[in-house]
Amino acid sequence: MKELRIGVYVCHCGTNIAAMVDVEKLAKELSEVKNVIVARDYKYMCSDPGQDLIIKDIQEHKLNRIVVAACSPRMHEVTFRKALEKAGLNPYYLEMANIREQCSWVHTNRNEATIKAKDLILAAIKRVKWHEPLDKRSVPINEATLIIGGGISGISAALELANAGKKVYLVEKSNKLGGIMNQIDLTFPFLNSARQILDRKLSEVVNHPNIEIFLNTEIGEIFGYIGNFETQINGNKIVFGNIIVATGLKPFDASRIPEYGYGKLPDVITSLEFENMLKSGDIKTKSGKQPQSIAIIHCVGSRNEKYNVYCSRVCCLTALKYINQINSVLPETSIFDIYADMRTFGKYCEEFYSSTSRKNVTFLVFDQKNELPKIREASSSDKCNLIINFREKLSGEIIEVPADMVILMVGMEAHEAAKEVAHKVGVSMCGNNFYIERHPKLDPVATTTDGVYVVGTCQAPKDIPDSISQAKAAAARILATIEAKTVDVEVTTAFINEDLCCGCQTCIKVCPYSAISFDAVKKVSIVNEVLCKGCGTCAAACPTGAAKAKHFTDVQILSQIEGLFSYA
Amino acid sequence: MNARVNLNVKKDLLKYGAKDWNECFHCGNCTAICPLTDDNSLFPRRAIRLAQMGLKDKIKENVVPWLCYYCGDCSKTCPRNANPGELMMSLRRYLISLYDWTGISRLVYTSKKFELIAIVVIAIFVMILYINFTVYPAGDPNKWLGEDGGVLINNMAHWRKIHLADLIMAGLLSFFLITNIINMWYHMILKDKTVKVNILDYIKGLYLLPLHFITQKRFSKCDESVKTYWYIHLLLVIGYVTMFTMIVGFLEWFQTDKVHPFWHPQRLFGYIATVFLFLGIIYFYYNRRKKLRENSKYSHHTDWAFLVLLFLTVLTGILMHYFRISGMPKLTYITYLLHLMIAVPMLVIEVPFSKWSHLAYRPFAIYFSYIKNLAYKRK
């Protein structure tokens, strides 16, 4: 090993660190540590003069390892790595000691904080000795995209990509495109026809030269990684660089709730069945009569611990849409809207609620937590088909609501096929079987698998505009990666020492990214570095020590620990 | 049996003057801001709910509309303009018609035509009786004058006859009012099986009846802005009670042939009561006309009928008094007739069946609610 020449830089961070840690004393003491050539303190290391200081020292003193004692590496590791690169040093020869978040900000005793800061820096000095130079890697991108699911989300993403001149393979399980939107009459809050919106999109998709549609098709095993996926469709091999998963939803099965008698009481119907009535323009009870009163029950299968705890997000507004539609078709019919909470977020949606609430409708509140309404057949003296019985929350009274027809606002569940697809494309699912996005706030479109995006109701219940936004966002993300021609992949990945590997395949079982495969000829495990995220699970699990995580090797971590205890 | 939601009640309430209360989404602002509501009786929100659902039986048992004096703070601050105050007012009208077992009240409230015809029919009936049982002052006017120049009123319409008629009327009105109050009591206290009011409770609360009848003490607890309103209402009540007592109780003393000096209690009390009444009428008329306050923004036809009849009663009373002390027998006779033709229908319709019945329902509601709370606390 070449002679170690370490530079240590202690940042004041204004007074953020300097107020609680004696940075000048630290710099002075650290300059006496073995292998440390220079140790300096500076007001703001991250500033341009701060960085220039490091660059100049590297060049002047021929430094080959740098320790920056400052903020969290999450904040400025990239900044300092760039500085190293600029000075002609491999950026991975940097180690940061976090003496702000983990020291100055959380302590009140200056003396003790200074001791702790020194411990942290000594640990970094010990660790940086074992750092190895790592090289950046990138892979080329195949321009085609595979879209799984031909609902409004899949269609929207397909059009966006295809219009940009990129090839799209659109795979749909059923025999027609359009998904759940095929079953919807009008959309909220403007009461536009879903059919019209969908038809326009469908004709574009069907006639688009860049979109290849596969109906009645289920996706097979998918191999590869971002930029270079491949699969078989109907016996033909197709290759593509990105995947959009848009498998959609499954309506909640209302017969699971015994109180509502769905399936037993003929005039208790689901919202989708009612959509069908609206589409045919024929709102009739099973006996063929015009209903004198219609009750709508919200949150069927949603926001209930027994079924699904989450909110399905579209039912409240759909119910309000029904109120408007019933009111205009059957103005004499009484409408009872039985809800738990009225949730009408979204553009023009509160306004929609506000105007609907002024219509001929009676809102009633049931207690979602303790007691669901019970529907029973009415007796002949009741002059209606059904009686709904529950404790009305806003009055505290137990009431009976007469109705000729009850509409159950069934919630959304993840599609049955979601689990299978998740396994094939390598995305994870939450407890409710919806796909998990990479970050719930900062990256709600991508997944933890590069090149795989989730859009529409397979990610979470959402309405049409939200689905379309997410689909177009995914398309834009894919276009951006295509435009870059290549994609950088993680360099701090795992690697397996073939000489030490015993072929037990423990690492394959534990890898959360399916990044390790087994070489049957050599009888050793092999890491696909494009898929690997460098999480280190395999390194921890490997019984022989063959699997190692680059930049987090045993010797690096053990030295760091050793350094932590070397002072005191 | 559970309460059945009934939307017809909703439609019905519109006839009683309710406005847009369907707008209410139960934020509870009204109950929070109401200066009169307390833990024992929370209103108006819950009452709005009962009205929205049309739970007729529950409304009938509900005392809270009577505990509200309509300061209007709830309506003023309602985020949805749902007019909780006016709904409480409408519920009071509705309750009056629900307590009334004869069904007359319902007709008065829901039909302007009925109210008008009823007034006319009673007025004609009064006229027939008056003409039959009194003597027209024909011939020499001086024959009908006393030594002090005043009209010998008891020679044409003797106080005994009028007094008898008064008592019969008062008996009749009391009968209706009392039976209606028994009906109210049945629904509020007896029907409620969750609580048992014992005899001691009834006695303990008894003092509330005269107290609230005379002072409308709760009313004065409303917001500061209603203080003037309350004072004027109090003067009106004092004027009315004074007049009623003098006329129905002591007509022999009040309807004299002799013209007493100005400072004589008969005349003085009469004048003071008249001033109080007039002041009230003008104030309330002005408020309603200009829609100055929340509680005068919306006027039901029964509100106007009451004000107009009371005004005409007082006006004819003054004229008759003037003609009597000025020695004008014919005019005295005619204005007395007119006075009775207005006052009697007013009392017959308003007291047991319409707006004026609140003089009994309000104190009784406070009484019932108090004794019910006593029983609850014991539980």
Side-chain angles (χ1 to χ4, degrees), chain A residues 59-355:
Chain A
Q59 287 160 349
E60 265 179 28
H61 299 280
K62 303 210 170 356
L63 301 178
N64 54 19
R65 297 288 191 281
I66 300 296
V67 170
V68 179
C71 51
S72 161
R74 286 211 158 216
M75 190 85 193
H76 278 306
E77 191 168 52
V78 174
T79 313
F80 296 118
R81 276 185 182 167
K82 276 185 185 150
L84 265 67
E85 222 174 346
K86 227 169 158 183
L89 207 60
N90 187 290
Y92 289 89
Y93 279 138
L94 169 81
E95 178 64 12
M96 286 190 77
N98 182 353
I99 59 164
R100 191 178 74 172
E101 285 86 340
Q102 291 174 358
C103 187
S104 69
W105 277 359
V106 291
H107 292 295
T108 50
N109 182 316
R110 193 160 197 264
N111 196 30
E112 285 174 3
T114 307
I115 294 172
K116 179 174 173 183
K118 191 167 178 190
D119 285 342
L120 291 167
I121 298 167
L122 286 172
I125 293 170
K126 286 276 184 194
R127 187 190 206 276
V128 82
K129 175 181 172 187
W130 299 102
H131 278 200
E132 286 160 19
L134 300 173
D135 290 327
K136 264 201 211 166
R137 290 185 320 106
S138 58
V139 293
I141 298 268
N142 182 303
E143 293 200 349
T145 299
L146 172 75
I147 299 179
I148 308 166
I152 187 64
S153 306
I155 290 169
S156 305
L159 279 173
E160 207 67 21
L161 290 161
N163 286 338
K166 310 300 174 195
K167 178 79 187 171
V168 173
Y169 300 105
L170 183 57
V171 179
E172 167 58 41
K173 193 180 173 186
S174 76
N175 60 3
K176 65 175 182 179
L177 295 176
I180 209 87
M181 235 179 121
N182 281 316
Q183 301 180 45
I184 294 173
D185 181 31
L186 302 185
T187 57
F188 61 77
F190 298 113
L191 306 178
N192 295 327
S193 158
R195 182 83 264 154
Q196 279 178 19
I197 301 169
L198 189 61
D199 277 350
R200 211 166 55 214
K201 290 265 177 194
L202 282 179
S203 67
E204 275 181 67
V205 168
V206 170
N207 299 317
H208 208 294
N210 290 338
I211 302 175
E212 202 172 321
I213 300 166
F214 301 91
L215 294 177
N216 299 310
T217 304
E218 285 189 50
I219 205 75
E221 201 72 34
I222 295 172
F223 304 96
Y225 45 84
I226 180 170
N228 304 279
F229 290 109
E230 65 168 82
T231 189
Q232 299 269 334
I233 293 182
N234 305 332
N236 299 318
K237 185 179 119 171
I238 58 165
V239 288
F240 42 93
N242 289 282
I243 303 171
I244 293 178
V245 186
T247 49
L249 64 96
K250 180 187 77 176
F252 177 81
D253 174 14
S255 64
R256 284 170 61 193
I257 305 181
E259 285 92 335
Y260 296 158
Y262 177 73
K264 294 189 187 104
L265 302 168
D267 284 308
V268 177
I269 59 171
T270 67
S271 39
L272 285 172
E273 286 164 348
F274 187 66
E275 292 282 353
N276 213 19
M277 280 192 190
L278 289 169
K279 283 208 294 186
S280 66
D282 200 21
I283 304 174
K284 292 246 164 75
T285 62
K286 278 285 162 344
S287 56
K289 289 195 193 99
Q290 186 174 303
Q292 296 304 302
S293 56
I294 299 178
I296 303 171
I297 300 181
H298 288 230
C299 286
V300 177
S302 306
R303 304 184 65 233
N304 187 311
E305 290 193 342
K306 260 181 159 170
Y307 306 104
N308 294 312
V309 288
Y310 56 84
C311 166
S312 291
R313 288 172 62 108
V314 299
C315 333
C316 281
L317 285 150
T318 307
L320 295 175
K321 179 188 82 176
Y322 293 163
I323 293 166
N324 281 277
Q325 289 191 268
I326 298 165
N327 243 312
S328 60
V329 183
L330 306 170
E332 297 303 318
T333 298
S334 313
I335 308 167
F336 300 100
D337 189 86
I338 304 168
Y339 70 98
D341 278 309
M342 188 61 72
R343 299 185 158 186
T344 57
F345 55 89
K347 200 172 186 181
Y348 298 117
C349 290
E350 178 63 19
E351 291 92 325
F352 186 55
Y353 163 63
S354 198
S355 67

Side-chain angles (χ1 to χ4, degrees), chain B residues 325-337:
Chain B
I325 60 171
S326 312
M328 299 155 108
K330 278 179 190 165
L331 284 173
T332 307
Y333 182 85
I334 291 163
T335 46
Y336 199 4
L337 169 63

Side-chain angles (χ1 to χ4, degrees), chain B residues 93-307:
Chain B
R93 295 184 191 120
Y94 187 59
L95 283 176
I96 290 172
S97 76
L98 287 184
Y99 301 149
D100 175 35
W101 53 273
T102 63
I104 295 170
S105 180
R106 184 179 165 75
L107 288 169
V108 171
Y109 273 115
T110 55
S111 164
K112 273 183 211 175
K113 217 194 260 171
F114 177 85
E115 191 179 25
L116 197 68
I117 290 171
I119 292 167
V120 172
V121 168
I122 297 167
I124 291 170
F125 179 70
V126 170
M127 186 173 78
I128 294 167
L129 281 183
Y130 185 83
I131 290 171
N132 269 308
F133 289 100
T134 59
V135 187
Y136 181 72
D140 180 11
N142 291 326
K143 209 173 78 187
W144 299 91
L145 297 180
E147 283 164 16
D148 49 13
V151 175
L152 296 172
I153 188 157
N154 287 315
N155 285 1
M156 35 182 156
H158 197 274
W159 68 267
R160 266 187 221 283
K161 287 179 190 167
I162 305 290
H163 190 52
L164 185 65
D166 275 353
L167 291 180
I168 291 169
M169 182 189 70
L172 214 58
L173 299 194
S174 306
F175 169 72
F176 285 123
L177 201 54
I178 289 164
T179 47
N180 286 348
I181 285 168
I182 290 170
N183 196 6
M184 176 189 187
W185 169 71
Y186 169 73
H187 282 98
M188 271 180 200
I189 308 252
L190 280 199
K191 242 181 118 186
D192 189 350
K193 298 281 180 243
T194 62
V195 63
K196 214 171 145 43
V197 181
N198 66 26
I199 191 81
L200 209 64
D201 298 330
Y202 281 107
I203 295 165
K204 265 190 198 159
L206 218 49
Y207 76 98
L208 292 167
L209 288 174
L211 178 72
H212 287 278
F213 175 78
I214 301 200
T215 64
Q216 301 89 50
K217 211 169 149 237
R218 272 180 71 86
F219 194 0
S220 69
K221 280 189 201 152
C222 265
D223 182 74
E224 272 304 304
S225 69
V226 299
K227 276 275 147 50
T228 324
Y229 196 89
W230 170 66
Y231 278 125
I232 292 177
H233 183 271
L234 186 65
L235 293 183
L236 186 83
V237 173
I238 292 168
Y240 173 71
V241 171
T242 311
M243 273 301 191
F244 190 84
T245 315
M246 290 195 295
I247 293 169
V248 178
F250 306 96
L251 194 64
E252 184 185 4
W253 176 79
F254 190 68
Q255 182 182 311
T256 52
D257 292 338
K258 185 173 163 39
V259 178
H260 289 298
F262 187 85
W263 299 110
H264 186 277
Q266 182 215 46
R267 280 180 74 175
L268 197 62
F269 279 143
Y271 292 146
I272 292 170
T274 305
V275 169
F276 285 179
L277 282 170
F278 243 140
L279 195 68
I281 292 163
I282 290 164
Y283 179 76
F284 292 132
Y285 175 82
Y286 189 69
N287 267 296
R288 284 204 180 277
R289 191 78 229 164
K290 297 273 176 199
K291 303 182 191 304
L292 289 181
R293 312 172 44 78
E294 273 306 322
N295 63 3
S296 54
K297 243 186 188 163
Y298 307 102
S299 297
H300 193 255
H301 65 88
T302 50
D303 296 326
W304 286 122
F306 174 54
L307 260 184

Side-chain angles (χ1 to χ4, degrees), chain B residues 37-56:
Chain B
T37 189
D38 58 35
D39 287 353
N40 296 322
S41 49
L42 286 164
F43 61 93
R45 189 203 58 80
R46 193 167 168 277
I48 301 173
R49 194 63 181 155
L50 298 179
Q52 279 178 336
M53 300 196 292
L55 304 183
K56 198 170 170 177

Side-chain angles (χ1 to χ4, degrees), chain A residues 280-560:
Chain A
S280 66
D282 200 21
I283 304 174
K284 292 246 164 75
T285 62
K286 278 285 162 344
S287 56
K289 289 195 193 99
Q290 186 174 303
Q292 296 304 302
S293 56
I294 299 178
I296 303 171
I297 300 181
H298 288 230
C299 286
V300 177
S302 306
R303 304 184 65 233
N304 187 311
E305 290 193 342
K306 260 181 159 170
Y307 306 104
N308 294 312
V309 288
Y310 56 84
C311 166
S312 291
R313 288 172 62 108
V314 299
C315 333
C316 281
L317 285 150
T318 307
L320 295 175
K321 179 188 82 176
Y322 293 163
I323 293 166
N324 281 277
Q325 289 191 268
I326 298 165
N327 243 312
S328 60
V329 183
L330 306 170
E332 297 303 318
T333 298
S334 313
I335 308 167
F336 300 100
D337 189 86
I338 304 168
Y339 70 98
D341 278 309
M342 188 61 72
R343 299 185 158 186
T344 57
F345 55 89
K347 200 172 186 181
Y348 298 117
C349 290
E350 178 63 19
E351 291 92 325
F352 186 55
Y353 163 63
S354 198
S355 67
T356 307
S357 69
R358 288 167 172 83
K359 298 239 157 89
N360 174 24
V361 54
T362 303
F363 288 103
L364 303 164
V365 185
F366 72 94
D367 186 347
Q368 172 77 281
K369 204 171 167 193
N370 297 315
E371 200 183 10
L372 292 179
K374 284 185 190 62
I375 307 175
R376 65 163 196 269
E377 211 159 351
S379 67
S380 54
S381 62
D382 287 319
K383 289 177 190 147
C384 60
N385 290 344
L386 302 160
I387 298 285
I388 309 162
N389 177 260
F390 62 102
R391 184 179 289 279
E392 204 278 326
K393 220 175 165 185
L394 292 177
S395 59
E397 300 289 347
I398 295 170
I399 60 163
E400 290 187 345
V401 181
D404 284 337
M405 179 191 280
V406 177
I407 305 168
L408 302 176
M409 302 306 302
V410 288
M412 290 187 194
E413 289 189 330
H415 202 282
E416 296 111 322
K419 214 166 195 167
E420 209 184 313
V421 174
H423 188 73
K424 284 171 182 164
V425 300
V427 296
S428 358
M429 298 198 296
C430 66
N432 302 317
N433 286 350
F434 291 109
Y435 297 136
I436 298 178
E437 58 285 355
R438 182 181 288 224
H439 189 285
K441 294 210 183 300
L442 302 174
D443 201 351
V445 180
T447 63
T448 45
T449 304
D450 287 335
V452 179
Y453 299 86
V454 284
V455 303
T457 50
C458 67
Q459 183 249 340
K462 55 175 72 71
D463 60 5
I464 296 166
D466 281 1
S467 297
I468 293 176
S469 307
Q470 204 180 14
K472 295 197 169 192
R477 289 282 293 276
I478 290 170
L479 288 173
T481 58
I482 293 172
E483 202 53 38
K485 310 283 190 232
T486 58
V487 58
D488 284 343
V489 289
E490 190 61 69
V491 295
T492 58
T493 55
F495 76 100
I496 290 170
N497 185 333
E498 289 180 11
D499 296 339
L500 291 177
C501 178
C502 64
C504 69
Q505 301 186 41
T506 305
C507 51
I508 297 178
K509 280 182 218 125
V510 297
C511 178
Y513 304 99
S514 313
I516 307 177
S517 54
F518 190 66
D519 185 329
V521 181
K522 290 187 186 167
K523 297 216 182 321
V524 291
S525 293
I526 295 169
V527 177
N528 182 335
E529 293 192 338
V530 181
L531 292 179
C532 178
K533 300 272 175 206
C535 68
T537 309
C538 56
C542 181
T544 65
K548 285 203 161 70
K550 289 180 192 168
H551 210 56
F552 291 92
T553 61
D554 287 354
V555 63
Q556 287 170 354
I557 292 167
L558 289 171
S559 306
Q560 191 172 14

